[in-house]
Amino acid sequence: MERTLLLIKPDGVQRGLVGPIIDKIERRGLRMIGMKMMDVSTGLAETHYAIHKGKPFYDSLIDYITSAPIVAIAWQGSKAVAVVRQVLGATDPTEAQPGTVRGDYGIDIGRNLTHGSDSVKNGMAEINLWFKADELIEWKRSGEEWIFEV
Ligand code: IDP
Ligand code: MG
């Protein structure tokens, strides 16, 4: 089973979209294994977005993610990384398909509402960065045999 990190960025929280965003992923069938609301420190933001350091949007990205509270959610399930990326849609909301979070709710790339891990390796690393071990819950959702074939 894969694990992946979802962040509902400050705009998603401010605009009251926490529920609708969770709803899409929860109904799709992934299992939530950790969730918290938090203010993001500059240090955590810089570690999380280290790969983008030096890019023109880096400073505004750090300002954006640290500007107001976010909600972090760890998800588990078969193909969890790809499923969350699919539900979020393309990075630029004007390129995201209708029906995706960014395609339904976003306009500007710098206000694209969410983050989703982009690989299985990064999913594991990002969950370890954002959650302590005792903040993750081992459980099985009833009815998962009706979502996952194996
Ligand atoms: P992703 O969030 O879809 O994985 P990345 O390329 O990893 O997209 O970029 C990280 C975040 O940086 C994006 O979600 C977006 O908030 C921001 N970002 C990316 N490219 C731009 C840009 O060209 N202008 C402003 N912000 C950007
Ligand atoms: Mg990314």
Coordinates of all heavy atoms in Angstrom, one line a residue, residues 2 6 8 13 17 31 56 69 78 91 93 100 104 107 110-111 117 119 125 127 136 139-140 148:
E2 N 0.5 2.2 -0.8 CA 1.3 3.5 -0.9 C 0.8 4.5 0.1 O -0.4 4.4 0.6 CB 1.1 4.1 -2.3 CG 1.8 3.3 -3.4 CD 1.6 3.9 -4.8 OE1 1.1 5.1 -4.9 OE2 1.8 3.2 -5.7
L6 N -1.1 14.9 1.4 CA -2.0 16.0 0.9 C -1.8 17.2 1.8 O -2.0 17.1 3.0 CB -3.4 15.6 0.8 CG -4.4 16.7 0.5 CD1 -4.4 17.1 -1.0 CD2 -5.9 16.3 0.9
I8 N -3.7 20.9 2.3 CA -4.7 21.9 1.9 C -4.1 23.2 2.3 O -3.9 23.5 3.4 CB -6.1 21.6 2.5 CG1 -6.5 20.2 2.1 CG2 -7.1 22.7 2.0 CD1 -7.8 19.8 2.8
V13 N -8.0 26.5 3.0 CA -8.6 26.6 4.3 C -9.4 27.9 4.4 O -10.6 27.9 4.8 CB -7.5 26.6 5.4 CG1 -8.1 26.8 6.8 CG2 -6.7 25.3 5.3
L17 N -12.8 25.2 1.8 CA -12.8 24.1 0.9 C -12.2 22.8 1.5 O -12.0 21.8 0.8 CB -12.1 24.4 -0.4 CG -12.8 25.5 -1.2 CD1 -12.0 26.0 -2.4 CD2 -14.2 25.0 -1.7
R31 N -7.7 5.7 2.4 CA -7.8 5.6 3.9 C -7.0 6.8 4.5 O -5.8 6.8 4.3 CB -7.3 4.3 4.4 CG -7.5 4.1 5.9 CD -6.6 2.9 6.3 NE -6.7 1.7 5.5 CZ -5.8 0.7 5.5 NH1 -4.8 0.7 6.4 NH2 -6.0 -0.3 4.7
P56 N 12.1 31.2 -9.8 CA 11.5 32.5 -9.7 C 10.3 32.6 -8.7 O 10.2 33.6 -8.1 CB 11.0 32.9 -11.1 CG 11.7 31.9 -12.0 CD 12.1 30.7 -11.2
P69 N -3.0 29.2 8.3 CA -3.0 27.7 8.6 C -3.3 26.9 7.4 O -4.0 27.3 6.5 CB -4.1 27.6 9.7 CG -4.3 28.9 10.3 CD -3.9 29.9 9.2
S78 N -3.9 1.6 -2.3 CA -3.3 1.2 -3.5 C -3.3 2.4 -4.5 O -4.3 3.1 -4.6 CB -4.2 0.0 -4.1 OG -3.7 -0.4 -5.3
T91 N -1.0 21.3 -12.1 CA -0.4 22.3 -11.2 C -1.1 23.7 -11.5 O -1.4 24.4 -10.6 CB 1.1 22.4 -11.3 OG1 1.7 21.1 -11.1 CG2 1.7 23.4 -10.4
P93 N -4.1 25.7 -12.5 CA -5.5 25.4 -12.5 C -6.2 25.7 -13.8 O -7.2 25.0 -14.1 CB -6.1 26.4 -11.4 CG -5.0 26.6 -10.5 CD -3.7 26.6 -11.4
T100 N -11.6 18.2 -11.2 CA -10.5 18.1 -10.3 C -10.6 19.3 -9.3 O -11.3 20.3 -9.5 CB -9.1 18.2 -11.0 OG1 -9.0 19.5 -11.7 CG2 -9.0 17.1 -12.0
D104 N -11.8 22.8 -10.6 CA -13.1 23.3 -10.2 C -13.0 24.6 -9.3 O -13.9 25.5 -9.4 CB -13.8 22.3 -9.3 CG -14.4 21.2 -10.1 OD1 -14.4 21.3 -11.4 OD2 -14.9 20.2 -9.5
I107 N -7.7 29.3 -10.0 CA -7.5 30.1 -11.3 C -5.9 30.3 -11.4 O -5.3 29.9 -12.4 CB -8.2 31.4 -11.2 CG1 -9.7 31.2 -11.3 CG2 -7.8 32.3 -12.4 CD1 -10.6 32.4 -11.2
G110 N -0.3 30.2 -8.4 CA 0.2 30.5 -7.1 C -0.8 30.5 -6.0 O -0.6 30.9 -4.9
R111 N -2.0 30.1 -6.4 CA -3.1 29.9 -5.5 C -3.9 28.6 -5.9 O -5.1 28.6 -6.1 CB -4.1 31.1 -5.5 CG -3.5 32.4 -5.0 CD -3.3 32.4 -3.5 NE -2.8 33.7 -3.0 CZ -1.5 34.0 -2.9 NH1 -0.6 33.1 -3.3 NH2 -1.1 35.2 -2.5
S117 N 2.0 14.6 -3.0 CA 3.3 14.0 -3.3 C 3.3 13.5 -4.7 O 2.3 13.0 -5.2 CB 3.5 12.9 -2.3 OG 3.4 13.2 -1.0
S119 N 5.6 11.1 -6.0 CA 6.1 9.8 -6.2 C 6.0 9.0 -4.9 O 5.8 9.6 -3.8 CB 7.6 9.8 -6.6 OG 8.4 10.3 -5.5
A125 N 8.6 10.1 2.3 CA 9.5 11.1 2.9 C 8.7 12.3 3.4 O 9.0 12.8 4.5 CB 10.5 11.6 1.8
I127 N 5.5 12.4 4.3 CA 4.7 12.0 5.5 C 5.6 12.0 6.8 O 5.3 12.5 7.8 CB 4.0 10.7 5.3 CG1 2.8 10.9 4.4 CG2 3.5 10.1 6.7 CD1 2.0 9.7 3.9
L136 N 0.2 9.1 13.3 CA -0.3 8.2 12.2 C -1.0 7.1 12.9 O -0.6 6.5 13.8 CB 0.8 7.8 11.3 CG 1.6 8.9 10.6 CD1 2.8 8.3 9.9 CD2 0.7 9.6 9.6
W139 N -5.1 1.5 10.9 CA -6.5 1.0 11.0 C -6.9 0.5 9.6 O -6.2 0.7 8.6 CB -7.5 2.1 11.5 CG -7.7 3.2 10.6 CD1 -6.7 4.1 10.1 CD2 -8.9 3.6 9.9 NE1 -7.3 5.1 9.3 CE2 -8.7 4.8 9.1 CE3 -10.2 3.1 9.9 CZ2 -9.6 5.4 8.4 CZ3 -11.2 3.8 9.2 CH2 -10.9 4.9 8.4
K140 N -8.0 -0.2 9.5 CA -8.6 -0.6 8.3 C -10.0 -0.1 8.1 O -10.8 -0.2 9.1 CB -8.6 -2.2 8.2 CG -8.8 -2.7 6.9 CD -8.4 -4.2 6.9 CE -8.7 -4.9 5.6 NZ -9.3 -4.2 4.5
F148 N -10.6 -2.1 -3.2 CA -9.4 -2.7 -3.7 C -9.6 -4.1 -4.0 O -10.1 -4.9 -3.1 CB -8.3 -2.5 -2.6 CG -8.0 -1.0 -2.3 CD1 -8.2 -0.6 -1.0 CD2 -7.5 -0.2 -3.2 CE1 -8.0 0.8 -0.7 CE2 -7.3 1.2 -2.9 CZ -7.5 1.6 -1.7

